[in-house]
Amino acid sequence: MDRLNRFARRIPTWPLYLGALIPPAWYFYAGVSGQLGVDPVKAMEHKIGLLGLQVLIASLCITPLRRYAGLNLIKFRRALGLIAFFYIVLHLLVWIVLDVQIPSQIIADIYKRPYITIGMAAFVLMIPLAATSYNAAIRRLGRNWRRLHWLVYPAVVLGGVHFVMLRKGWQLEPLLYLGGIALLLVLRLPSAARKRSRGVIPQQSRG
């Protein structure tokens, strides 16, 4: 594990950002070339949204991996969070620009369809997280930066609920995602309680 951690410290974060461009580019190409079925816009919308949820869940795995397995990937957490936000923005843009297209219908859907309302709430919660994920904001906010970034937890839960409701009925795949999110949050509880009792504010990655 020490060798893995030393190797991880030598890996820069910028390849993650470049690699993040590949999946949506592929989905767009597959859509225009007829490889995404009879409704390529819906398929692209769902695939990119699921990718955003997957990357957001991956960012939540970093702390349990360090705590329980000794694998320190903390330097990649910010990149994963920003990539997840990027995918969710693309998911939203595909829905607005390519799917619904009509502004009045978009507003009506947000108010009338609960799964869209919940998904939009998750997106809104992620906006301040993405907007403050740079070193100057971390320094300026100080202790409040940590408190602000607790918004990731309700955001990911809402994202999981959005996925469950989107699939309609009790399908196994979205329930597994929601269960995984719940497990990751439970794994954080004992340590979070100890830190609050000690008044400790953990250091955040600046990588």
Side-chain angles (χ1 to χ4, degrees), residues 93-109:
L93 287 176
V94 171
W95 176 65
I96 290 173
V97 177
L98 300 180
D99 188 359
V100 183
Q101 298 181 346
I102 304 170
S104 60
Q105 184 61 50
I106 292 168
I107 296 171
D109 283 350

Side-chain angles (χ1 to χ4, degrees), residues 46-66:
H46 293 165
K47 287 179 181 295
I48 294 175
L50 182 57
L51 195 59
L53 182 61
Q54 290 169 342
V55 176
L56 190 58
I57 292 172
S59 73
L60 293 183
C61 291
I62 289 178
T63 295
L65 282 173
R66 183 179 59 171

Side-chain angles (χ1 to χ4, degrees), residues 176-189:
L176 288 175
Y177 275 85
L178 191 58
I181 291 167
L183 176 61
L184 287 170
L185 295 183
V186 168
L187 288 174
R188 296 185 62 93
L189 287 178

Side-chain angles (χ1 to χ4, degrees), residues 105-192:
Q105 184 61 50
I106 292 168
I107 296 171
D109 283 350
I110 293 172
Y111 281 101
K112 294 179 180 179
R113 298 189 178 187
Y115 76 92
I116 295 179
T117 307
I118 289 172
M120 189 61 67
F123 170 70
V124 169
L125 288 177
M126 290 191 67
I127 292 174
L129 307 185
T132 57
S133 288
Y134 60 97
N135 291 340
I138 294 171
R139 289 192 296 267
R140 190 176 303 117
L141 290 171
R143 294 167 63 94
N144 292 324
W145 184 90
R146 175 66 176 175
R147 298 189 184 100
L148 177 66
H149 277 247
W150 275 82
L151 289 175
V152 69
Y153 305 125
V156 72
V157 170
L158 290 174
V161 173
H162 170 73
F163 186 28
V164 171
M165 297 177 69
L166 177 67
R167 284 293 182 89
K168 297 182 176 62
W170 299 102
Q171 296 189 24
L172 180 60
E173 183 188 10
L175 290 175
L176 288 175
Y177 275 85
L178 191 58
I181 291 167
L183 176 61
L184 287 170
L185 295 183
V186 168
L187 288 174
R188 296 185 62 93
L189 287 178
S191 176

